[in-house]
Amino acid sequence: MENLVKTPDFFKTFCHNVLNAMSPEDFDKFSQLPSDRDRCEYVAGLPAVKNLTIVREEKSVKSIERALALKKEGNNAFQNKEWNRALDLYNQSYIATPCDPAMDVAVIFANRSAALYHMGKHDLALKDITRAMEANYPRDMQYKLMEREARCFLAQKKHAEALQSFKKTITALDDAKIPEEKRSKMERDAQIMVKMLMKTIEKCGNQKLKQKIKKEDTSQMHAALEFDYNPTEGRFAKAAADIGVGETIVAELPHCSALLERSAQTHCHHCFKRFHAPLSCPTCSDALFCSTECRTVALKTYHRYECGLLPIIWRSGTSIICHLSLRTLAQRDVEYFLKIRDELKANEGEYPIERRLKMSNSDYRKVCNLFKVSAKDRSVNDLFQHTVMSFFLVNCLRAGGYFDNNSSEGVVHEIAGFLLRTLQVLQFNTHEVFELQTGKTTQDRKTHFIGGALYPTVSLFNHSCDPGVVRYFRGNRVYVHAIKNIKAGEIVAENYGPLYTQEDREQRRNTLKQVYHFDCMCVPCQENWPLFADMNNDILRFRCDGKKDCGALICVPADTNEFMIRCVDCGEFTNILKGLKAMQDIDVMNRTAERLHNSGSVDEAVRKYIEILKTMSDVLVPPFRDYVLCQQNIRNCLLQYGNRI
């Protein structure tokens, strides 16, 4: 069984072997079990699973020889002024370097800082200079780092910091093992810079500019967003007051998140940001980080248990949901889950929404009772496969040292039960985290899936085939904006996949029923809105603006010669001249917005598109082509505020 774990997509084979060993009586006994914990204990006792062996391993072995060879190759690239290639080679060298000897890491940080400096990435260069010094960079060469630090601060116009670094350069030259002529020249140059900077600082009144650091809360919600419940729709979001198109509805960090393997060498393992100069786990080459802060959090929590297991998880062939389930448990210790166990059993995780919203996003109680299909509504085969998966994941945790030596099998079964519950929740609440891949034109842009995450607040939003929001991501933080005007009392809905503009009603409903187990009753489904390709441009859909303010739909041929149209609902007349004039204005505004968008003026373009959509919403009733296109343009603009490459 240990050899099986070394084969690609091994979990499918493992699960198949376990299923084949089950008799009808075994399945019947399993189907009668009352809880997730009991199911996990039952599966753990099956002979077919007892020999599964999970052992920590490394995707790529750290080697000082390989690290030194890569560093030498990087130095050659640097001497040839191939800065990007040099940076890539220094990154590879650093990742391959074992914890000892520390001096080699310091030299690599120093060399990498030089490449970053020449690439104009001064912030990153400064961080690597600090890391090199902390890693005991040779004293006789520290003058190089101090001068580079001064030049970085100078490029950032941080004159006070540059002054101090030039002074440190002069001091460090005392230990430099260089010819006296070179030492004297460097010292004179540094003294000149000190005098110049002192005059500059004095001229500016010796005032240092204070950097403003924007701290974002874990979760930010629009004041008009509230949550309601009914037996048909479950928990859902709605507007307590009008929410305008473009407004931010939610900005939220995930409860848990996990990168895909293909993104693991380009994105931060913790926050998902792309990096140029990564930090690695000290003992494996699988987890890379954008900053000391991200690495520290990961090493103190989930990665201490995942280290050496990531290759097994990736190789297993399981979905990102399985990794997220393991991550959910790994970011908290065993004692935490044992402490909340009885509380969850007592109330089935049902907490008042006001209390749930106040909980920390890292609190399992905030997510444990998100929508999932109950055991009685699942097939026995489906529930059994999920239980086998939880057995595999709990054994990964065991191999990673999650349980101490005193943990009983009963405790292991309890954690496996939490894993099974989490797998079922994540099946319906995981969001794909993506970045925007840009091209030469707006048409060339497309989104690229980099990982998955669970967002406690956003997961409460229900589905509509005509969603009211658009999502994008900065790192793994999700931002949700209104994509249309949402009136007080209306549901704030996102989209679970099928859109009315792209799939007909039968296709959409079948997909949602099969995957999410509900019958969609959104407005496009109830009114059977047409596909985008079938929308009729020959008919204008005006909104009644009679004195009774009924807002009913008035359909008018595009070539009509009448301007006063009677509403069949309220009997009053609507003057459509205003609407026709608005459509002419929209044509001009659209051309302006497209020009701004194509030229890269995203802020101005999105404001113009929002103005267009508001104008259309005042006089016309969707669905119609121009409305859909405007929404899409707003979405394309907003995506550029998120992850992109």
Side-chain angles (χ1 to χ4, degrees), residues 320-588:
I320 192 69
I321 289 173
C322 301
H323 191 181
L324 280 170
S325 299
L326 184 142
R327 178 69 57 82
T328 299
L329 274 289
Q331 64 191 17
R332 291 286 196 148
D333 58 25
V334 174
E335 287 70 26
Y336 168 81
F337 289 100
L338 295 180
K339 185 177 180 180
I340 67 171
R341 171 187 53 189
D342 294 338
E343 180 183 335
L344 294 179
K345 286 180 180 178
N347 60 15
E348 287 299 315
E350 281 290 356
Y351 298 98
I353 189 64
E354 295 78 12
R355 184 181 175 191
R356 285 170 65 179
L357 291 173
K358 290 178 181 178
M359 289 177 178
S360 164
N361 267 27
S362 63
D363 195 327
Y364 185 78
R365 295 173 301 170
K366 192 169 186 175
V367 301
C368 66
N369 213 49
L370 291 170
F371 173 78
K372 65 183 179 71
V373 175
S374 63
K376 64 182 178 63
D377 292 325
R378 288 180 179 271
S379 69
V380 176
N381 188 64
D382 174 77
L383 190 57
F384 183 79
Q385 290 189 55
H386 275 79
T387 308
V388 174
M389 171 55 69
S390 69
F391 174 82
F392 163 63
L393 294 175
V394 83
N395 274 276
C396 286
L397 288 174
R398 193 200 297 262
Y402 185 70
F403 302 97
D404 61 36
N405 295 330
N406 298 321
S407 294
S408 66
E409 283 302 303
V411 169
V412 176
H413 298 327
E414 288 286 355
I415 297 301
F418 274 104
L419 281 165
L420 179 52
R421 180 176 190 156
T422 306
L423 282 166
Q424 295 173 76
V425 167
L426 284 165
Q427 183 181 4
F428 300 101
N429 294 282
T430 298
H431 283 81
E432 293 184 354
V433 181
F434 58 80
E435 67 181 2
L436 180 68
Q437 292 186 324
T438 58
K440 292 181 179 179
T441 66
T442 54
Q443 287 73 30
D444 295 331
R445 295 171 183 148
K446 59 182 179 180
T447 56
H448 180 66
F449 179 26
I450 61 173
L454 171 63
Y455 298 97
T457 305
V458 179
S459 291
L460 296 172
F461 287 35
N462 273 5
H463 163 85
S464 172
C465 298
D466 175 34
V469 302
V470 60
R471 285 181 277 111
Y472 63 85
F473 302 86
R474 293 179 189 163
N476 61 5
R477 182 189 288 268
V478 66
Y479 289 79
V480 181
H481 290 258
I483 198 67
K484 61 182 179 182
N485 293 316
I486 304 171
K487 293 184 177 180
E490 290 183 346
I491 290 177
V492 181
E494 69 156 328
N495 179 260
Y496 294 179
L499 294 165
Y500 84 89
T501 55
Q502 299 172 4
E503 297 180 45
D504 64 38
R505 179 170 62 179
E506 185 177 359
Q507 287 177 300
R508 301 195 307 270
R509 282 182 161 174
N510 287 341
T511 298
L512 292 165
K513 184 69 172 178
Q514 182 178 358
V515 177
Y516 294 100
H517 301 265
F518 70 86
D519 297 308
C520 187
M521 295 301 292
C522 68
V523 174
C525 283
Q526 291 186 58
E527 298 181 1
N528 198 15
W529 284 9
L531 300 174
F532 179 76
D534 297 333
M535 289 181 185
N536 188 354
N537 281 341
D538 295 330
I539 299 294
L540 298 177
R541 298 165 57 86
F542 286 98
R543 191 183 305 279
C544 173
D545 68 349
K547 293 179 181 178
K548 295 180 181 178
D549 195 27
C550 75
L553 170 64
I554 301 175
C555 291
V556 180
D559 59 354
T560 184
N561 292 320
E562 298 182 47
F563 302 118
M564 299 297 294
I565 309 296
R566 184 189 291 273
C567 174
V568 295
D569 283 21
C570 69
E572 295 192 6
F573 284 91
T574 290
N575 186 342
I576 65 170
L577 273 176
K578 182 180 73 172
L580 293 172
K581 175 63 169 61
M583 293 304 293
Q584 290 177 343
D585 293 342
I586 286 169
D587 287 339
V588 177

